[in-house]
Structures are given as structure tokens and as C-alpha cells.
Amino acid sequence: YTDKSLTLSAGETLILYTDGYTEAFAPDRRMFGVEGLCEVLGGARTPLPLRECAEETAAAVARFTGGELQDDQTLFLLRRR
């Protein structure tokens, strides 16, 4: 592991997630992937409240997998005011 320093500007959001999101599989074995995660989190023109972002992300993965939880899913969102 390496240490990194990051400064968020006002309105920017830091997103940390476990592979339970990106490695979620649909019934046809397609993987949700980083692309799917970015699509969900980056789809809104104006930033959604963080709780809504987290809820929508979890709902999108559940729809994609047919509701089957395949791995732990942790999503951490931090937005600078």
C-alpha cells in the first residue's frame, strides 16, 4: 500500500467501493464493472445527495444481478461542501 494525499474542491465527491459492486454478475454472466458503477454515479447532471447516490447504486446492482447478493458491497461517498 502507498499513502496518497488528495484535496477535494468544493462540490467534488470521493468514491471508494469494494469489488462486490464492480464484480457483480447478471444472470447471463455479464459483469457490472467499473463502467456500470460510473454510469450510475455519474449519470445525474446535478450531484444527488449522498444517501440517494448510495441507494441508487445499490438498487442498480440489485436490478443488474436479479436481486442476488453475490459478495459484500461497501460504498463510501465523501463530498466537500
Side-chain angles (χ1 to χ4, degrees), residues 52-70:
E52 287 182 41
C53 288
E55 290 170 351
E56 178 53 34
T57 303
V61 171
R63 285 190 302 271
F64 185 81
T65 64
E68 181 184 342
L69 181 61
Q70 303 159 347

Side-chain angles (χ1 to χ4, degrees), residues 6-34:
L6 174 69
T7 302
L8 297 176
S9 297
E12 287 186 321
T13 304
L14 174 67
I15 302 167
L16 303 172
Y17 56 89
T18 61
D19 63 356
Y21 279 100
T22 55
E23 294 179 0
F25 286 93
D28 65 3
R29 302 308 296 160
R30 288 178 299 121
M31 195 164 55
F32 193 70
V34 174

